[in-house]
């Protein structure tokens, strides 16, 4: 009898142990993202979810340059290593057409996310094809390009006087791209090892293209018609020629050796007293208000990408949406997490931790806008952002743009018109190759 | 008795005593290696050859369609690709010539009775023991126009090495020369130490000048081993990726490996990149063949 009871207890114990292990397996999720501060904030956020639901979530990261390669290698292998990915906005076409992402249209409509999230984030992070009403991601980390500047340089009475004498107006946050150029020129003093401006020039991924986009969109230009794939007369328009010339001129006011600069270098331009102004994504600004990483934190100011000559004011979109991977074994659990993630209180917490929420309600709140010196500029920017092509062949389009624009910007090869005409021809050929146009 | 068995000269009985024939032991060593080679080298090689005739994209759900020689035709008609090959050729020439001159020159200097010769040789070998990525990052700082020690030492002010499209490739080649000249030096030293001393003694008796001695004795005898170093370094320089990728992103430094990487893992043009990989492979084989033929000629002399 004792033996029987012992055996039964052992059997029950074994069943429970097995059950627990299966249960634990089901209750684990992995989110893949790039290695940067927002990913750490997300890990903090999902730890709260674990406390609430018992589901353990790991945010796995990889350095930015490898992010796309590693993610798509896993997708292409139909691997189930990741349940969700916080993927770049440009991936949405490639990932959805190839069947890597789960269709979230019903989820999106059910929770009315078109109204809940900032319109631009819905358009660029979630919807593909453009205006189709089909959604593949939940806007997670809103981001766009903004500017930081040295307030102490700008507010120095001697500098202000000299600037007014030279340009005829007061030195201050640039009100348009012309003023941005003037201020960059004014502070560009190689003899003093002081330079005008830090901009994106790295052509290994999308840095240079994003930088140029800031000029193109603000000069009233576009990259093409995303619905019809028409690029002739759009990418090589008069506005875009002027925008590219303006960007090239800004490059002449950058510190020496600025031909491979991205977010690290552009933040260093401020922390190392190199430049008066620096272009960067808002997601990298927390480091600039932290005195441990920026000795000039107290004298660093921020502003949104200024308008162009005709008053158009747009900025290049960064940021990512969170998608469920088709090959995940835990899709149901992932959907439950997304339901928690889109709640107002979660989005509020996300913003408090340092993440850039895409929730319109949180963005509009005075609480959010006053939380940091740059949140207001971020809020203003997030309602006027534009993005690169999101078609499956976006990587080819990106490389072609880099190949054409980089030698002109950094090496002065050719003219802006020649460069953009050649780019239009490249893009036309690519769209023809993939039967986007006849 | 056992000792007697183990010391016998008959290999069959020795291995029989261990319970395994020599053939079995040989197979135990060779078969796993052959299987490994087939699985990890030959199979992917043939598989990618198949893909090179298709329009397959690893990022797409679409099946691979057979396109014949279209990938090869398009690649060979692509001006950007030819520009990448031209950059690669320029880089290989500058880099390999530099390494041979520096490496062989240093080897000649070390091939004398000098104090601390062993320590000097060891120290000179250090660069090639470092990781390529570390060397790239390290030299990026050295080349920096604001605080780099190179401009400071040479008094070049804010001269731009990596941001200047005309200089960037030379900057990468200089780094490669710094890193791999010790390899040429090492092989050259081996060759120089193998030159019989009596030849130099005979030349001295005949009052031959140092110029004559070098070109008639030293160089011909070291040439075969120097050619081996050149073959290795040419193959490596042709495949250069990491140094150029880390140091700069100028279009003038986009060697063929970088183009191939972008095509395969950024654009996901899998079929096309397989075709390009085969073109590169054929080119490397052709160049190596020319070298080997020349090496055999040198040996015959």
């Amino acid at each position: 009898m004792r033996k029987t009871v012992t055996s039964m207890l052992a059997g029950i114990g074994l069943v429970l142990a097995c059950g627990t292990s299966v249960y634990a397996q089901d209750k684990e999720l992995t989110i893949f993202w790039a290695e940067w501060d927002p990913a750490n904030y997300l890990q903090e956020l999902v730890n709260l979810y674990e406390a609430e639901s018992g589901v353990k979530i790991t945010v796995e990261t990889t350095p930015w340059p490898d992010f796309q390669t590693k993610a798509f290698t896993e997708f292409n292998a139909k691997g189930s290593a990741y349940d969700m990915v916080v993927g770049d906005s440009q991936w949405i076409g490639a990932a959805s057409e190839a069947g890597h992402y789960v269709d979230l249209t019903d989820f999106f409509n059910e929770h009315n996310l078109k109204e809940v999230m900032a319109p631009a984030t819905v358009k660029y992070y979630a919807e593909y094809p453009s205006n189709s009403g089909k959604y593949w991601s939940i806007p997670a980390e809103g981001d766009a390009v903004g500017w930081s500047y040295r307030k102490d340089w700008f507010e120095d009475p001697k500098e202000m006087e000299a600037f007014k004498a030279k340009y005829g107006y007061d030195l201050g946050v640039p009100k348009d791209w012309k003023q941005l150029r003037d201020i960059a020129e004014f502070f560009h003093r190689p003899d003093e090892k002081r330079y005008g401006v830090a901009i994106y020039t790295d052509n290994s991924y999308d840095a240079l293209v994003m930088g140029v986009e800031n000029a193109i969109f603000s000069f009233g230009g576009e990259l093409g018609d995303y619905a019809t794939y028409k690029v002739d007369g759009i990418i090589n328009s008069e506005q875009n020629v002027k925008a590219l010339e303006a960007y090239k001129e800004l490059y002449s006011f950058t510190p020496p050796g600025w031909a491979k600069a991205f977010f690290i270098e552009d933040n260093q331009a401020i922390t190392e007293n190199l430049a008066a102004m620096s272009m960067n994504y808002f997601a990298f600004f927390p480091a600039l208000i932290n005195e441990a990483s920026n000795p000039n934190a107290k004298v660093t100011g921020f502003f949104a990408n200024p308008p162009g000559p005709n008053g158009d004011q747009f900025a290049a979109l960064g940021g990512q949406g969170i998608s469920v991977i088709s090959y995940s074994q835990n899709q149901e659990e992932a959907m439950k997490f997304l339901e928690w993630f889109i709640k107002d209180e979660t989005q509020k917490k996300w913003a408090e931790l340092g993440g850039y929420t895409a929730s319109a309600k949180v963005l509009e709140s005075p609480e959010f806008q006053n939380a940091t010196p740059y949140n207001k500029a971020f809020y203003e920017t997030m309602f006027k952002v534009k993005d690169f092509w999101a078609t499956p062949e976006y990587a080819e389009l990106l490389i072609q743009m880099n190949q054409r624009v980089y030698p002109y910007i950094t090496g002065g090869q050719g003219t802006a018109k020649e460069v953009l005409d050649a780019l239009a021809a490249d893009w036309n050929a690519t769209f023809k190759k993939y039967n986007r146009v006849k | 008795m056992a000792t007697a068995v183990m010391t016998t000269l008959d290999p069959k009985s020795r291995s029989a005593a261990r319970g395994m024939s020599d053939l079995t032991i040989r197979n135990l060593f060779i078969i796993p290696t052959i299987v490994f080679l087939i699985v990890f080298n030959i199979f992917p090689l043939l598989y990618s050859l198949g893909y090179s005739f298709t329009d397959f994209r690893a990022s797409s759900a679409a099946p691979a369609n057979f396109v014949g020689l279209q990938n090869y035709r398009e690649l060979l008609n692509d001006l950007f690709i030819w520009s990448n090959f031209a950059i690669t050729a320029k880089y290989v020439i500058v880099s390999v010539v530099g390494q041979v001159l520096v490496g062989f020159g240093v080897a000649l200097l070390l091939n004398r009775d000098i104090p601390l010769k062993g320590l000097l040789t060891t120290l000179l070998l250090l660069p090639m023991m470092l990781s390529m990525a570390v060397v790239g990052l390290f030299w990026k700082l050295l080349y920096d126009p604001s605080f780099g020690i190179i401009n400071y030492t040479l008094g070049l002010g804010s001269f731009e090495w990596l941001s200047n499209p005309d200089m960037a490739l030379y900057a990468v080649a200089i780094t490669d020369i710094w890193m791999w000249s010790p390899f040429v030096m090492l092989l050259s030293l081996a060759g120089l130490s193998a030159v019989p001393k009596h030849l130099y003694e005979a030349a001295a008796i005949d009052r031959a000048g140092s110029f004559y001695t070098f070109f008639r004795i030293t160089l011909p005898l070291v040439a075969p081993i120097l050619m081996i170093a050149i073959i290795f370094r040419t193959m490596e320089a042709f495949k250069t990726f990491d140094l150029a990728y880390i140091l700069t992103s100028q279009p003038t430094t986009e060697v063929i490996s970088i183009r191939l990487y972008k095509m395969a893992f950024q654009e996901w043009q899998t079929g096309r990149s397989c075709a390009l990989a085969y073109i590169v492979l054929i080119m490397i084989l052709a160049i190596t063949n020319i070298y080997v033929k020349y090496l055999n000629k040198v040996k015959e002399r």
Side-chain angles (χ1 to χ4, degrees):
Chain A
M1 180 65 193
R2 215 169 105 187
K3 258 189 182 176
T4 313
V5 171
T6 310
S7 304
M8 275 174 68
L9 284 173
I12 290 164
L14 194 68
V15 168
L16 281 174
C18 292
T20 309
S21 71
V22 169
Y23 173 83
Q25 234 177 14
D26 284 350
K27 295 279 181 178
E28 279 198 27
L29 294 170
T30 304
I31 301 175
F32 188 50
W33 202 358
E35 192 180 277
W36 61 333
D37 286 343
N40 302 332
Y41 309 145
L42 183 63
Q43 184 62 68
E44 286 181 57
L45 186 77
V46 299
N47 290 347
L48 300 176
Y49 181 69
E50 186 185 356
E52 271 183 46
S53 65
V55 178
K56 183 176 167 45
I57 303 184
T58 307
V59 179
E60 195 178 305
T61 62
T62 194
W64 267 111
D66 303 329
F67 184 39
Q68 179 196 235
T69 309
K70 202 172 170 184
F72 273 85
T73 304
E74 185 66 18
F75 298 162
N76 298 337
K78 296 185 168 44
S80 58
Y82 316 123
D83 301 296
M84 288 171 277
V85 65
V86 189
D88 245 348
S89 50
Q90 309 95 289
W91 300 3
I92 199 163
S96 60
E97 282 201 8
H100 303 318
Y101 286 178
V102 169
D103 186 343
L104 297 176
T105 307
D106 293 343
F107 182 90
F108 222 86
N109 294 333
E110 187 190 332
H111 296 91
N112 195 27
L113 291 178
K114 208 175 169 181
E115 308 302 319
V116 170
M117 302 293 179
T121 66
V122 172
K123 182 178 167 66
Y124 293 114
Y125 298 158
E127 190 179 30
Y128 184 81
S130 193
N131 305 320
S132 64
K134 285 186 82 69
Y135 303 100
W136 306 90
S137 308
I138 306 300
E141 169 78 2
D143 200 6
V145 172
W147 293 82
S148 57
Y149 73 103
R150 289 293 298 272
K151 283 197 290 188
D152 52 338
W153 296 11
F154 275 55
E155 290 163 9
D156 181 334
K158 279 185 191 166
E159 300 286 13
M160 290 169 82
E161 194 185 334
F163 184 87
K164 180 127 193 196
K166 188 174 180 182
Y167 296 98
Y169 59 92
D170 290 329
L171 174 61
V173 167
K175 293 186 177 68
D176 56 32
W177 268 71
K178 191 198 169 294
Q179 289 193 9
L180 185 79
R181 177 242 166 254
D182 289 348
I183 296 166
E185 181 190 52
F186 176 72
F187 281 112
H188 191 67
R189 300 161 198 175
D191 296 344
E192 298 173 29
K193 293 215 183 297
R194 218 183 231 208
Y195 307 93
V197 68
I199 55 172
Y200 286 165
T201 56
D202 186 16
N203 62 351
S204 46
Y205 183 43
D206 61 357
L208 175 68
V209 170
M210 296 273 185
V212 170
E213 277 178 358
N214 283 305
I216 283 179
F217 297 147
S218 291
F219 272 65
E222 295 286 353
L223 300 182
D225 186 327
Y226 293 172
T228 64
Y229 300 94
K230 183 179 184 300
V231 292
D232 279 323
I234 303 175
I235 184 62
N236 49 354
S237 67
E238 198 52 47
Q239 299 101 301
N240 287 6
V241 168
K242 285 197 169 70
L244 199 58
E245 284 167 351
Y247 201 79
K248 182 182 182 294
E249 193 176 16
L250 280 187
Y251 178 73
S252 66
F253 305 128
T254 58
W258 216 252
K260 196 177 165 64
F262 196 14
F263 57 91
I264 293 171
E265 291 80 7
D266 276 23
N267 264 6
Q268 277 175 345
I270 295 292
T271 61
E272 308 298 318
N273 304 309
L274 279 174
M277 299 174 289
S278 173
M279 166 191 284
N280 219 337
Y281 283 112
F282 281 93
F284 299 107
F285 287 162
L288 293 182
I289 56 166
N290 180 349
E291 283 185 51
S293 50
N294 179 17
N296 307 308
K298 283 200 173 87
V299 290
T300 303
F302 303 89
F303 60 90
N305 195 40
N310 304 317
D312 297 288
Q313 190 178 16
F314 293 99
L317 183 77
Q320 297 85 26
I322 188 164
S323 303
V324 179
I325 309 300
S326 306
Y327 321 111
S328 160
Q329 307 291 318
N330 309 304
Q331 287 183 26
E332 207 177 310
E333 209 55 64
M335 297 305 280
K336 281 182 194 166
F337 165 74
L338 290 183
E339 277 185 22
W340 177 83
F341 182 73
I342 59 170
K343 285 179 180 173
D344 284 349
E345 56 268 34
T346 309
Q347 287 295 308
K348 197 163 167 250
K349 187 70 195 168
W350 175 223
E352 281 169 14
L353 286 168
Y356 270 120
T357 176
S359 160
K361 195 189 268 183
V362 178
L363 286 172
E364 283 161 7
S365 68
E367 202 179 340
F368 171 82
Q369 289 182 34
N370 298 322
T372 70
Y374 45 79
N375 273 13
K376 193 164 180 4
F378 174 75
Y379 161 74
E380 288 165 3
T381 305
M382 281 318 282
F383 289 87
K384 42 196 173 191
V385 283
K386 290 185 180 182
D387 201 8
F388 192 72
W389 297 92
T391 53
E393 56 278 2
Y394 80 91
E396 277 170 74
L397 304 174
L398 196 63
I399 285 170
Q400 284 162 345
M401 188 160 175
N402 275 322
Q403 276 176 329
R404 293 296 180 185
V405 167
Y406 186 88
Y408 169 73
I409 300 285
T410 63
Q413 292 174 28
T415 67
K417 180 79 179 114
E418 286 166 359
V419 164
L420 294 174
D421 283 346
L423 180 60
D426 290 345
W427 281 2
N428 269 326
T430 302
F431 288 136
K432 272 203 183 97
K433 188 167 88 176
Y434 293 103
N435 302 318
R436 305 276 172 204
V437 288
K438 290 280 174 283
Chain B
M1 181 64 202
T3 315
V5 170
M6 293 308 286
T7 52
T8 180
L9 291 173
D10 180 11
K12 277 183 183 170
S13 57
R14 255 207 333 256
S15 54
R18 286 193 211 98
M20 267 193 285
S21 70
D22 281 358
L23 188 69
T24 310
I25 292 168
R26 194 183 67 193
N27 288 346
L28 272 175
F29 279 102
I30 291 173
I31 289 170
T33 314
I34 288 172
V35 170
F36 188 89
L37 266 173
I38 289 168
V39 172
F40 290 100
N41 274 355
I42 295 163
F43 173 71
L45 200 72
L46 296 173
Y47 206 73
S48 63
L49 179 65
Y51 270 144
S52 74
F53 300 109
T54 69
D55 63 355
F56 180 61
R57 292 171 68 89
S59 63
S60 159
N65 299 306
F66 182 76
V67 292
L69 291 169
Q70 189 187 313
N71 287 330
Y72 291 91
R73 206 170 35 243
E74 281 177 3
L75 285 166
L76 295 172
N77 284 315
D78 187 335
L79 290 177
F80 274 120
I81 295 290
W82 282 109
S83 150
N84 296 137
F85 274 121
I87 289 164
T88 310
K90 190 176 169 185
Y91 176 77
V92 169
I93 291 163
V94 173
S95 172
V96 175
V97 167
Q99 283 164 38
V100 169
L101 291 176
V102 175
F104 191 58
V106 174
L108 284 171
L109 289 173
L110 285 173
N111 194 39
R112 301 163 183 222
D113 291 326
I114 50 168
L116 302 171
K117 186 173 156 180
L119 178 70
L120 264 175
T121 309
T122 310
L123 287 175
L124 285 167
L125 291 177
L126 281 177
M128 72 179 205
M129 296 176 188
L130 298 168
S131 133
M132 283 287 232
V134 172
V135 168
L137 293 168
F138 173 59
W139 275 79
K140 205 174 170 180
L141 294 172
L142 295 181
Y143 282 129
D144 191 281
S146 301
F147 53 79
I149 199 165
I150 291 175
N151 282 357
Y152 176 77
T153 310
L154 302 175
L156 293 173
S158 290
F159 181 75
E160 297 192 353
W161 290 88
L162 301 171
S163 300
N164 181 339
D166 301 325
M167 272 312 297
L169 190 73
Y170 295 106
V172 179
I174 288 167
T175 308
D176 201 43
I177 290 165
W178 175 84
M179 192 170 177
W180 290 107
S181 292
F183 173 78
V184 180
M185 179 199 84
L186 200 62
L187 288 181
S188 302
L189 268 175
L192 287 167
S193 60
V195 178
K197 291 277 183 290
H198 65 82
L199 293 177
Y200 290 120
E201 285 160 7
I205 290 164
D206 290 342
R207 293 191 178 179
S210 52
F211 183 84
Y212 184 90
T213 307
F214 176 77
F215 280 100
R216 292 297 174 131
I217 299 169
T218 310
L219 197 57
L221 288 169
V222 178
I225 206 158
L226 203 58
M227 276 304 296
I228 290 168
I230 291 169
I231 290 171
F232 275 115
R233 289 314 310 149
T234 303
M235 282 164 68
E236 286 298 317
F238 207 97
K239 295 187 297 178
T240 287
F241 172 83
D242 29 24
L243 262 192
Y245 194 76
I246 289 164
L247 277 170
T248 175
S249 53
Q250 291 283 351
T252 51
T253 60
E254 194 175 88
V255 289
I256 198 68
S257 304
I258 293 178
R259 185 73 203 97
L260 182 54
Y261 165 78
K262 285 181 177 176
M263 198 182 283
F265 300 111
Q266 288 186 353
E267 299 173 9
W268 292 102
Q269 297 192 75
T270 315
R272 206 159 183 252
S273 58
C274 287
L276 181 57
Y278 267 90
I279 292 170
V280 172
L281 178 72
I282 290 161
M283 282 189 170
I284 291 177
L285 286 174
I287 293 164
T288 310
N289 255 319
I290 294 164
Y291 272 140
V292 170
K293 273 188 180 160
Y294 188 71
L295 174 65
N296 290 336
K297 269 188 188 172
V298 167
K299 274 184 178 172
E300 281 165 19
R301 270 190 255 149

